[in-house]
């Protein structure tokens, strides 16, 4: 690198926040995730029992996965607020209660 080339500096404020999550009838664990606005969010989620999905409408996230499968979703939390994530695959009688919260500060 010569002395007159610009040096790219990483923005340390916007980090990659990684979470490992379990999906099971009828809950996500953890059920709440907190990040800062601008963070890249990476969620690795595994189904412990039946087919599930994870969806966060405001960030165009929707990924389905089968029993015992693991998927990773990644997005930028580019707006502040509290957003619901939910199971996007019908998984039984408690399916509608299978929700969690993404808090973007």
């Amino acid at each position: 690198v010569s002395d007159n080339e610009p040096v790219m500096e990483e923005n340390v404020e916007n980090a990659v926040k990684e979470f490992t999550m379990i999906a099971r009838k009828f809950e996500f664990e953890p059920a709440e995730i907190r990040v800062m606005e601008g963070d890249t969010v990476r969620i690795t989620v595994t189904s412990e029992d039946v087919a599930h999905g994870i969806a966060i409408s405001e960030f165009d996230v929707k990924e389905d996965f089968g029993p015992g499968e693991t998927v990773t979703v990644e997005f930028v939390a580019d707006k502040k607020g509290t957003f619901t994530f939910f199971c996007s695959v019908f998984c039984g009688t408690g399916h509608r209660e299978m929700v969690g919260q993404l808090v973007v500060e």
Side-chain angles (χ1 to χ4, degrees):
V1 178
S2 69
D3 290 338
N4 60 0
E5 285 186 37
V7 176
M8 299 300 289
E9 292 185 15
E10 285 189 46
N11 183 347
V12 293
E13 290 179 19
N14 297 338
V16 175
K17 300 289 176 68
E18 297 195 54
F19 299 91
T20 301
M21 185 179 285
I22 299 295
R24 69 172 73 90
K25 290 182 173 182
F26 296 101
E27 66 178 343
F28 289 102
E29 185 182 312
E32 182 179 274
I33 293 175
R34 290 183 170 270
V35 299
M36 299 303 290
E37 183 179 20
D39 286 348
T40 296
V41 181
R42 185 177 301 140
I43 304 170
T44 301
V45 58
T46 302
S47 170
E48 276 195 345
D49 45 25
V50 299
H52 292 290
I54 186 166
I56 311 168
S57 301
E58 295 84 357
F59 297 100
D60 294 323
V61 171
K62 184 181 181 301
E63 192 72 42
D64 299 344
F65 46 99
E69 287 185 354
T70 299
V71 297
T72 300
V73 297
E74 187 172 311
F75 60 95
V76 175
D78 58 0
K79 46 191 158 251
K80 289 184 180 184
T82 300
F83 308 96
T84 299
F85 57 85
F86 58 94
C87 181
S88 56
V89 174
F90 182 77
C91 58
T93 55
H95 169 71
R96 289 184 187 275
E97 286 77 48
M98 191 168 172
V99 296
Q101 287 191 324
L102 166 69
V103 179
V104 182
E105 300 172 327

